[in-house]
Amino acid sequence: MLFKQQALLRQKLFVLGSLAIGSLLYLVARVGSLDRLQPLCPIDGRFGPRGQDEIPLRALQFKRGLLHEFRKGNATKEQIRLHNLVQQLPKAIIIGVRKGGTRALLEMLNLHPAVVKASQEIHFFDNDENYAKGIEWYRKKMPFSYSHQITIEKSPAYFITEEVPERIYKMNSSIKLLIIVREPTTRAISDYTQVLEGKERKNKTYYKFEKLAIDPNTCEVNTKYKAVRTSIYTKHLERWLKYFPIEQFHIVDGDRLITEPLPELQLVEKFLNLPPRISQYNLYFNATRGFYCLRFNIVFNKCLAGSKGRIHPEVDTSVITKLRKFFHPFNQKFYQITGRTFNWP
């Protein structure tokens, strides 16, 4: 009889202990995501008086899950309507540059609860066929969001395509424009590396970087090579400045975003008039990948695709020196125009 009572007591203690552990884990999860559950601060008064138009972060997290279901076809348009979600034209666009870190910047900004990103490159303004479909076609490519949130898309081809500045100006002359740049020679080699990998996947051969970057007839830098032209940042920016004042641009240091992302993201938050929400908690270094990954909350983490951070092929040092010398005067002018100086050789 005593043995049965002891066994029953042990069973009850085990059940109580399990409930206690479960409750503790739940509390830890709640505390770990407190910063994501605080209500949004107003953005320059655009949210209206505190408490009137604010959306708590729990609702934003629910919204993300709801939209995921909607894209899979598991949620109805009525559900979207009931939650006051709309498809908005972007209030900010990452316009370039290619291989500067546009995807990393977009994903990191998506950590902010007031930012909603378009998951794919739309190529509306740089593609004549898409542009002919009209602005409503473009709007319908945007994610659902709350009316006070900022929708952001990125298409790095925008920066170098001649027609794009005027087209974006016609849509919204006050839009905020983000440009992320890296050291020009490194960016050109990264550009080449991505193309090379694509050729190798198809079992195709490709020229060495040196043969493309240097004109064999003159032994000078080949300015007809697209990877070189894209790195002449000031030439492209001058075209944009015919339509937009420099105050509507923010230059992001793509090299620093890799090694020290938080300060760069905080500068972007300020430029977009967003309340500071991205913290060191949201960014953690993945030693295996060699890059920072994203932490949305205690449950959901995300790292960039494995294609990011490709190993560059070795390039002849004399070619690197020649390219850096070529880019130098353009870099100096870029510093003067933007008011931001980089430690590029």
Side-chain angles (χ1 to χ4, degrees):
M1 184 67 178
L2 181 60
F3 175 81
K4 288 184 178 180
Q5 289 177 340
Q6 289 176 337
L8 184 60
L9 180 61
R10 282 196 297 268
Q11 187 177 9
K12 289 181 178 179
L13 289 173
F14 175 80
V15 172
L16 291 173
S18 299
L19 289 172
I21 292 172
S23 300
L24 181 60
L25 289 173
Y26 173 78
L27 289 173
V28 169
R30 293 279 292 179
V31 171
S33 58
L34 274 179
D35 61 310
R36 303 288 292 173
L37 296 175
Q38 296 301 316
L40 286 172
C41 295
I43 301 177
D44 280 357
R46 283 182 289 153
F47 285 179
R50 175 173 285 274
Q52 178 177 318
D53 297 315
E54 292 176 356
I55 304 297
L57 295 197
R58 178 186 296 180
L60 297 183
Q61 289 174 326
F62 170 77
K63 183 271 308 179
R64 284 180 173 173
L66 178 65
L67 294 183
H68 179 66
E69 292 300 308
F70 181 69
R71 292 190 184 100
K72 291 193 305 180
N74 296 335
T76 66
K77 291 184 179 180
E78 180 65 14
Q79 286 176 303
I80 297 295
R81 187 188 66 78
L82 288 173
H83 290 281
N84 297 315
L85 296 167
V86 292
Q87 287 172 293
Q88 303 183 84
L89 292 173
K91 295 174 184 174
I93 300 179
I94 301 173
I95 60 174
V97 298
R98 172 180 162 92
K99 305 314 299 174
T102 57
R103 173 56 60 183
L105 177 60
L106 183 69
E107 295 294 344
M108 289 178 177
L109 289 178
N110 193 49
L111 288 165
H112 198 292
V115 170
V116 181
K117 69 177 178 69
S119 58
Q120 302 296 323
E121 293 180 9
I122 310 300
H123 289 287
F124 176 65
F125 298 102
D126 66 307
N127 184 297
D128 291 342
E129 185 178 337
N130 286 343
Y131 190 68
K133 295 175 182 176
I135 202 71
E136 283 306 307
W137 178 88
Y138 180 55
R139 185 196 302 273
K140 289 177 181 178
K141 292 293 182 180
M142 294 299 121
F144 285 88
S145 62
Y146 289 109
S147 59
H148 64 262
Q149 289 181 300
I150 293 178
T151 296
I152 296 181
E153 76 126 320
K154 74 102 174 174
S155 293
Y158 289 168
F159 186 58
I160 64 171
T161 305
E162 290 189 11
E163 299 83 1
V164 171
E166 182 179 5
R167 289 174 174 179
I168 292 182
Y169 180 83
K170 288 179 178 179
M171 178 190 73
N172 181 359
S173 61
S174 61
I175 197 166
K176 292 181 180 291
L177 302 165
L178 292 161
I179 305 171
I180 179 167
V181 295
R182 296 184 67 193
E183 191 277 313
T185 301
T186 302
R187 195 221 64 82
I189 295 172
S190 180
D191 197 329
Y192 165 83
T193 304
Q194 177 169 296
V195 176
L196 175 65
E197 185 180 277
K199 298 285 186 180
E200 290 176 341
R201 281 200 303 266
K202 298 176 182 177
N203 294 318
K204 294 182 178 180
T205 57
Y206 197 49
Y207 294 107
K208 292 186 66 175
F209 176 79
E210 291 87 340
K211 290 182 76 69
L212 295 169
I214 304 298
D215 188 323
N217 297 318
T218 63
C219 294
E220 296 299 326
V221 173
N222 180 14
T223 55
K224 294 181 180 179
Y225 179 37
K226 186 176 179 180
V228 169
R229 290 202 316 272
T230 300
S231 285
I232 308 175
Y233 304 139
T234 184
K235 290 289 187 181
H236 305 294
L237 182 58
E238 285 172 345
R239 185 171 60 253
W240 283 84
L241 291 173
K242 294 176 182 178
Y243 295 91
F244 300 95
I246 193 63
E247 292 77 21
Q248 281 177 233
F249 296 86
H250 178 73
I251 310 301
V252 179
D253 185 340
D255 295 308
R256 192 183 183 203
L257 192 73
I258 295 171
T259 60
E260 197 178 2
L262 184 58
E264 286 299 315
L265 295 172
Q266 290 172 334
L267 289 173
V268 178
E269 282 181 324
K270 186 175 180 180
F271 172 70
L272 297 177
N273 296 321
L274 292 170
R277 281 292 182 271
I278 303 173
S279 69
Q280 198 61 58
Y281 168 81
N282 301 118
L283 302 159
Y284 68 95
F285 187 76
N286 186 312
T288 303
R289 297 288 304 280
F291 286 93
Y292 278 88
C293 293
L294 316 180
R295 180 186 290 116
F296 289 84
N297 51 50
I298 198 170
V299 175
F300 181 47
N301 299 339
K302 180 177 183 178
C303 289
L304 297 178
S307 61
K308 305 302 177 184
R310 297 178 179 90
I311 297 175
H312 293 178
E314 289 189 17
V315 177
D316 189 289
T317 54
S318 66
V319 172
I320 292 176
T321 300
K322 188 181 288 287
L323 283 168
R324 286 176 173 171
K325 185 177 180 181
F326 168 80
F327 286 127
H328 182 74
F330 296 112
N331 295 341
Q332 295 301 311
K333 192 170 184 180
F334 186 69
Y335 301 161
Q336 292 172 2
I337 293 173
T338 63
R340 182 158 194 185
T341 302
F342 301 93
N343 296 319
W344 296 336

